[in-house]
Amino acid sequence: MNTLKYKENWYSYLDIIALVSWSLLLFKYWFNGELYLLIHPNYFLLVLATSLLLFILSIARIIQEFEKLKNRENTNENNDNQHTNLLPKGWASSLLVLVAIFGLITQPIALTSETAIQRGVGDTLPPTTLETQSFLNQTPPENRSLIEWVRTLNAYPEPDNYTGQKANITGFVVHLDSLPDNYIYLSRFVLTCCAVDAYPVGIPVELSKSRDEYPPDTWLEIQGAMKTETLLSLESSSPQREKRQLVLQAGEVKVISTPPNPYAY
């Protein structure tokens, strides 16, 4: 009987450890700004609220266990014999604790160029991120972000409209076999909900030298002027078809560190 009671207490303590560890994990992600690598900022407050709720639940469970110790005559041995579990008791809590510990001792990382290639990098935004807007009072070309350039192209796709306009954009390097050796694809991921549904977009950049100078995933700030070039289409349905595209002819290229918030929205 003592062995059964010991096991029952241990399962209860394991549940409490799972609640506390996940509360700490979510709070760590929020406090350290690591949520920027995982989900859309719209959900940051919900994560913090969940962290606090889990902590409150863990306190409630601790109080409940103290009440049980005061009333040892109230035993759950009969209930234990009546329940049938699909998984060994304590298995789920143990798994939750292990996952939380892994999250606490590691840091999330930003999605890479390899992921961008796998998901099909292009210059078209997903429908959920498109905004109906007027560009009559648009941001000056040299002040547009990479995503603003892509949004502009989605609204008015004729590349000749932007020839000669100055640009200053940042993003990470993607090497595409379909582009010449002196071309890179400067890309950003767009988040609509979380990193799982992140969508890569970008703009081809013509360099004055080989792209080998800038390995994949290197973050760059590039100043230059826009022009139109005929390049192989990035669309997977027609990879061999040539297409007139807007290209940034690089003037000044500067290597920068990965920003704390690498995604766009």
Side-chain angles (χ1 to χ4, degrees):
M1 181 178 298
N2 290 335
T3 302
L4 289 176
K5 186 170 293 186
Y6 173 80
K7 287 184 177 180
E8 180 64 28
N9 288 339
W10 168 245
Y11 294 144
S12 297
Y13 299 152
L14 195 58
D15 290 343
I16 295 172
I17 294 172
L19 289 170
V20 173
S21 58
W22 271 92
S23 174
L24 291 174
L25 177 61
L26 295 180
F27 185 79
K28 172 221 174 191
Y29 284 153
W30 175 82
F31 184 78
N32 291 344
E34 294 172 350
L35 285 178
Y36 283 111
L37 301 175
L38 300 172
I39 60 174
H40 195 286
N42 287 348
Y43 304 107
F44 284 9
L45 187 59
L46 178 61
V47 171
L48 179 60
T50 303
S51 172
L52 295 175
L53 177 60
L54 290 175
F55 185 75
I56 292 172
L57 288 175
S58 67
I59 297 298
R61 284 299 306 273
I62 291 173
I63 295 174
Q64 184 182 48
E65 289 306 310
F66 274 118
E67 291 296 326
K68 281 186 179 181
L69 291 176
K70 292 179 181 179
N71 302 279
R72 286 185 176 275
E73 67 276 8
N74 297 327
T75 178
N76 292 326
E77 289 181 15
N78 293 332
N79 292 335
D80 291 339
N81 294 330
Q82 294 174 1
H83 287 296
T84 301
N85 296 322
L86 295 177
L87 295 173
K89 195 168 184 180
W91 187 90
S93 295
S94 299
L95 182 60
L96 287 172
V97 171
L98 289 175
V99 173
I101 291 174
F102 179 79
L104 287 167
I105 64 178
T106 60
Q107 290 185 334
I109 59 175
L111 297 175
T112 64
S113 61
E114 182 178 354
T115 306
I117 294 174
Q118 291 173 351
R119 297 188 182 183
V121 64
D123 59 3
T124 303
L125 287 166
T128 53
T129 64
L130 293 176
E131 299 177 359
T132 303
Q133 55 183 305
S134 171
F135 287 88
L136 295 177
N137 296 316
Q138 59 185 324
T139 305
E142 61 274 13
N143 293 335
R144 290 179 199 151
S145 67
L146 187 151
I147 300 302
E148 286 175 324
W149 271 106
V150 174
R151 282 201 175 103
T152 303
L153 276 173
N154 278 236
Y156 302 108
E158 174 51 55
D160 288 341
N161 291 336
Y162 315 103
T163 298
Q165 292 187 3
K166 301 296 183 182
N168 183 6
I169 57 177
T170 61
F172 64 90
V173 174
V174 178
H175 287 183
L176 296 177
D177 295 335
S178 59
L179 295 177
D181 180 66
N182 64 324
Y183 276 75
I184 61 171
Y185 207 79
L186 200 67
S187 183
R188 296 288 294 265
F189 278 98
V190 179
L191 255 64
T192 56
C193 178
C194 63
V196 174
D197 65 14
Y199 192 92
V201 296
I203 292 177
V205 178
E206 182 183 13
L207 304 170
S208 59
K209 50 189 174 182
S210 172
R211 64 187 177 195
D212 292 337
E213 295 286 331
Y214 305 105
D217 300 316
T218 304
W219 277 80
L220 301 177
E221 179 181 345
I222 302 178
Q223 297 181 19
M226 293 296 187
K227 68 174 187 176
T228 301
E229 288 286 351
T230 301
L231 302 169
L232 289 177
S233 174
L234 297 176
E235 298 175 7
S236 58
S237 59
S238 55
Q240 301 303 318
R241 184 168 61 86
E242 290 187 338
K243 176 184 176 182
R244 292 171 62 255
Q245 300 181 50
L246 187 66
V247 172
L248 175 59
Q249 186 171 23
E252 180 181 348
V253 180
K254 181 169 64 174
V255 178
I256 61 174
S257 58
T258 302
N261 179 11
Y263 304 136
Y265 310 102

